[in-house]
């Protein structure tokens, strides 16, 4: 990691990598050549002897709705639909019943692994007739409990629906099944000189169908926008087994209601996404990453404003983290900071088509930022391996937090000028009752990941946090869920971000598309529990 060349003084202010101790290498290669990202290491984070996660129904006040229970006749019917794809072994069902944060646990006794939309259709048709509740599940990397059962819902896994159906090298339009892993899709399109329009820390495990179902944001949102814009079409199986084929590859189609938008962000409550058509941008020829230290959050904001003005069209990401995030990454993951200790850190990525042009613009920006005191230290990388090393510092914060204890996670949108105020507020409010209160996230999108760690789950600490965090967010006209979705955890706090009329219309859409309520019950909408 070397500084950009232009001014001589920049070369000695911006230091290189930390030498042999530079342990901020991304995860080692896993099976089938997949990089083991933070969420791909799910089982590695659970040491032998780890206490079993309490059942969700025992930890939270939730009542089972009057669904049928799975019978031997149901199992026989499922075996006819997906021969060899019916899992009932209790040991094999342990992981799919527990969320990645290990704070929620269902008690499903059946997991189904279809390979085609026709099989999904037949499964849902049977469940609809029998009034059996269904929990669609992709990579199970969600943060709000949307991908695991609350009670004994049938887990419908898309893991075997992992085929690329088509890719057009001129338009960059990819059509694939919902169970394709994001990182594998990224590798597929990058070999063809394109990239996926989204990138997440969970890319080694998450499925594209789950990304769409939760309207995942991620690290490229600043440059390429949300999935509401990049998803061109969907194939969705409805609650009664009907297949809605809106898998268009057209960028412009003004014929009637844009039905696919209903299912983007619906978290499997309106239908099961089985295939996706998505627009992939061309692969940038030049990528640079700068990792910088800032003396305060005011300077972080000024750096962002300056960055937008000076980097313009090549700016592709602007991330920030506080000092406590860096300390936790170092303590639990042994990743070394490449810059001197600072109150805040920012990661800036540029992506363009001309390496010389981009380097010149980035160099001018860095010279200005250092000269004006916005930045106190930093390092720059253009080599792909070193770029990944810097990104690991940001992407693996979630993993570091999970190793620090029980994590109370909040994913909120706020006006950027108020983005960090709630972190300061909570540190004063919680005092010694919390181990750590940290803030990091996508500053360019106004998205704060607010995390509080404690030795163990505490109802009293939860009561101090909620509804305070949601009330504070509502006073700033923010959103209680920026990109993680609603799931089980936030279903009853939507009123802080949506008016009554909007919630009522959502309930009406749910009743129309899933009148028996069998799809992902107890999730997303208030009052279902």
């Amino acid at each position: 990691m070397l500084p950009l060349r232009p001014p001589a003084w920049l070369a000695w202010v911006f230091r290189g990598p930390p030498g042999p101790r530079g342990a901020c290498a991304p995860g080692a290669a896993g099976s089938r050549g997949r990089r083991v990202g933070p969420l791909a290491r799910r089982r590695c984070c659970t040491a032998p002897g780890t206490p079993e996660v309490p059942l969700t129904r025992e930890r939270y006040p939730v009542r089972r709705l009057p669904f049928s229970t799975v019978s031997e006749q149901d199992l026989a019917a499922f075996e006819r639909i997906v021969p060899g794809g019916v899992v009932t072994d209790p040991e094999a069902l342990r992981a799919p019943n527990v969320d990645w944060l290990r704070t929620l646990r269902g008690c499903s006794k059946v997991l189904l692994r279809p390979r085609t939309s026709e099989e999904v259709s037949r499964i849902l048709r049977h469940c609809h007739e029998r009034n059996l509740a269904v929990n669609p599940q992709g990579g199970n990397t969600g943060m709000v409990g949307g991908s695991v059962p609350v009670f004994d819902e049938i887990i419908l896994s898309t893991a075997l629906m992992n085929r690329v159906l088509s890719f057009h090298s001129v338009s960059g339009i990819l059509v694939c099944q919902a169970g394709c892993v994001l990182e594998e899709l990224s590798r597929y399109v990058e070999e063809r000189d394109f990239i996926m329009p989204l990138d997440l820390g969970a890319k080694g495990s998450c499925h594209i169908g789950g990304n769409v179902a939760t309207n995942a944001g991620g690290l490229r949102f600043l440059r390429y926008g949300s999935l509401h814009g990049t998803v061109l079409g969907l194939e969705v199986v409805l609650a009664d087994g009907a297949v809605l084929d809106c898998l268009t590859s057209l960028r412009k189609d003004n014929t009637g209601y844009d039905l696919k938008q209903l299912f983007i962000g619906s978290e499997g409550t309106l239908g099961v996404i089985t295939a996706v058509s998505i627009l992939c941008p061309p692969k940038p020829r030049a990528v640079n990453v700068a990792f910088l230290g800032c003396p305060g959050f005011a300077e972080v904001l000024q750096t962002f404003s300056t960055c937008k003005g000076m980097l313009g069209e090549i700016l592709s990401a602007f991330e920030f983290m506080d000092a406590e995030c860096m300390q936790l990454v170092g303590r639990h993951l042994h990743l070394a900071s490449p810059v001197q200790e600072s109150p805040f850190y920012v990661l800036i990525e540029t992506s363009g088509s001309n390496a010389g042009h981009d380097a010149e613009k980035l160099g001018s920006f860095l010279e200005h930022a250092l000269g004006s005191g916005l930045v106190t230290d930093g390092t720059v990388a253009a080599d792909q391996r070193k770029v990944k090393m810097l990104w690991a510092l940001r992407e693996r914060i979630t993993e570091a937090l999970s190793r620090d204890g029980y994590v109370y996670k909040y994913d909120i949108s706020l006006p950027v000028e108020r983005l960090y105020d709630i972190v300061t507020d909570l540190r004063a409010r919680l005092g010694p009752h919390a181990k750590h209160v940290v803030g990091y996230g996508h500053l360019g999108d106004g998205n704060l990941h607010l995390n509080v760690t404690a030795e163990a789950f505490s109802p009293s600490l939860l009561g101090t946090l909620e509804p305070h965090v949601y009330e504070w967010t509502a006073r700033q006209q923010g959103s209680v869920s920026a990109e993680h979705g609603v799931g089980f955890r936030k279903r009853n706090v939507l009123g802080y971000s949506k008016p009554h009329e909007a919630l009522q219309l959502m309930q009406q859409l749910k009743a129309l598309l899933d009148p028996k309520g069998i799809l992902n019950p107890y999730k997303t909408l208030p009052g279902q529990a």
Side-chain angles (χ1 to χ4, degrees):
M1 270 168 283
L2 295 175
L4 293 173
R5 296 176 214 149
W9 61 271
L10 194 64
W12 50 261
V13 175
F14 274 76
R15 301 175 305 180
R21 70 185 185 93
C24 52
S31 62
R32 297 167 58 192
R34 181 186 304 171
R35 183 169 71 85
V36 183
L39 300 184
R41 275 185 286 270
R42 155 182 199 112
R43 293 176 183 83
C44 300
C45 294
T46 307
T50 300
E52 188 164 48
V53 178
L55 287 168
T56 303
R57 68 188 186 195
E58 295 174 355
R59 175 174 279 179
Y60 294 91
V62 56
R63 177 179 56 85
R64 187 184 187 278
L65 295 173
F67 298 113
S68 301
T69 55
V70 178
S71 66
E72 291 297 325
Q73 291 77 16
D74 293 321
L75 292 177
F78 293 142
E79 188 62 43
R80 289 192 294 271
I81 296 171
V82 283
V86 181
V87 179
T88 57
D89 174 35
E91 190 60 32
L93 286 164
R94 287 173 66 88
N97 266 299
V98 179
D99 73 323
W100 182 76
L101 293 174
R102 295 188 57 77
T103 58
L104 299 170
R105 179 165 68 96
C107 48
S108 175
K109 296 177 174 60
V110 184
L111 181 144
L112 304 177
R113 292 161 62 88
R115 293 180 180 273
T116 67
S117 56
E118 174 58 29
E119 291 177 348
V120 174
S121 173
R122 292 174 63 191
I123 289 169
L124 290 186
R125 191 178 308 131
H126 178 89
C127 292
H128 187 262
E129 291 171 356
R130 284 273 296 118
N131 196 37
L132 293 166
V134 178
N135 182 99
Q137 187 176 94
N140 196 15
T141 60
M143 299 289 184
V144 289
S147 61
V148 291
V150 175
F151 292 98
D152 58 347
E153 301 90 272
I154 294 167
I155 300 174
L156 180 61
S157 170
T158 60
L160 299 183
M161 302 181 67
N162 56 4
R163 292 186 298 117
V164 171
L165 303 177
S166 67
F167 181 75
H168 298 95
S169 59
V170 175
S171 64
I173 296 171
L174 171 73
V175 181
C176 63
Q177 288 185 298
C180 291
V181 174
L182 179 59
E183 187 170 52
E184 294 178 357
L185 288 178
S186 294
R187 193 155 41 236
Y188 178 90
V189 298
E190 284 180 21
E191 290 170 355
R192 292 156 178 81
D193 290 327
F194 286 83
I195 62 171
M196 294 297 291
L198 75 160
D199 185 26
L200 310 171
K203 56 177 165 268
S205 299
C206 65
H207 296 183
I208 188 65
N211 299 151
V212 175
T214 57
N215 189 29
L219 306 170
R220 291 177 178 162
F221 189 99
L222 179 64
R223 179 70 170 269
Y224 301 114
S226 83
L227 291 172
H228 279 293
T230 54
V231 170
L232 303 179
L234 294 175
E235 178 185 72
V236 182
V237 181
L238 303 180
D240 62 359
V243 179
L244 179 64
D245 185 358
C246 292
L247 200 60
T248 180
S249 293
L250 300 174
R251 293 191 65 180
K252 299 179 75 173
D253 181 4
N254 233 358
T255 52
Y257 303 127
D258 191 1
L259 295 178
K260 70 175 182 293
Q261 301 295 351
L262 281 177
F263 302 96
I264 300 173
S266 67
E267 302 185 72
T269 61
L270 301 181
V272 178
I273 295 171
T274 52
V276 177
S277 171
I278 189 166
L279 180 65
C280 301
K283 182 179 179 180
R285 296 181 181 178
V287 175
N288 297 288
V289 170
F291 195 87
L292 315 173
C294 292
F297 192 70
E299 286 77 13
V300 171
L301 292 175
Q302 289 178 276
T303 300
F304 176 54
S305 180
T306 303
C307 195
K308 287 193 295 181
M310 296 187 69
L311 298 181
E313 78 288 351
I314 66 170
L315 178 63
S316 54
F318 192 102
E319 304 287 309
F320 91 99
M321 66 177 82
D322 61 21
E324 287 198 32
C325 287
M326 182 65 78
Q327 291 163 11
L328 290 172
V329 166
R331 180 179 308 151
H332 296 296
L333 305 180
H334 311 293
L335 304 188
S337 172
V339 300
Q340 68 184 28
E341 187 173 338
S342 301
F344 291 91
Y345 304 89
V346 298
L347 184 151
I348 299 168
E349 181 186 78
T350 65
S351 303
S353 59
N354 187 310
H357 168 267
D358 294 0
E360 183 178 353
K361 292 189 77 167
L362 183 58
S364 297
F365 159 73
L366 294 173
E367 183 177 4
H368 173 81
L370 277 164
S372 59
L374 298 179
V375 170
T376 55
D377 191 19
T379 188
V380 180
D383 171 80
Q384 187 177 15
R385 183 183 65 85
K386 294 170 183 174
V387 163
K388 287 183 176 180
M389 289 170 64
L390 292 179
W391 266 115
L393 294 168
R394 163 62 183 86
E395 289 182 323
R396 296 184 67 184
I397 294 173
T398 297
E399 183 184 357
L401 286 164
S402 72
R403 298 188 182 194
D404 197 56
Y406 186 90
V407 188
Y408 301 83
K409 302 186 76 68
Y410 301 94
D411 161 56
I412 55 181
S413 284
L414 293 166
V416 290
E417 65 274 9
R418 301 300 309 277
L419 200 64
Y420 199 73
D421 290 354
I422 191 169
V423 180
T424 306
D425 171 89
L426 279 187
R427 284 176 180 160
R429 181 180 178 86
L430 300 179
H433 299 293
K435 286 181 69 177
H436 294 282
V437 179
V438 306
Y440 67 98
H442 318 296
L443 188 90
D445 315 332
N447 180 184
L448 174 71
H449 295 312
L450 171 67
N451 289 255
V452 177
T453 65
E455 292 294 348
F457 175 78
S458 164
S460 62
L461 181 54
L462 181 63
T464 306
L465 286 165
E466 299 176 15
H468 175 75
V469 170
Y470 302 126
E471 291 171 345
W472 195 98
T473 302
R475 287 197 298 271
Q476 317 307 319
Q477 286 76 52
S479 170
V480 298
S481 181
E483 64 177 4
H484 289 170
V486 178
F488 175 77
R489 294 179 181 282
K490 295 185 179 180
R491 68 198 186 285
N492 290 324
V493 299
L494 289 192
Y496 290 103
S497 296
K498 289 289 186 287
H500 171 74
E501 294 77 12
L503 295 176
Q504 195 171 39
L505 184 56
M506 291 181 198
Q507 295 279 16
Q508 291 168 353
L509 286 169
K510 172 69 172 176
L512 175 67
L513 292 173
D514 181 18
K516 293 187 175 183
I518 66 169
L519 290 178
N520 223 8
Y522 323 105
K523 317 283 177 59
T524 305
L525 296 177
Q528 283 201 307

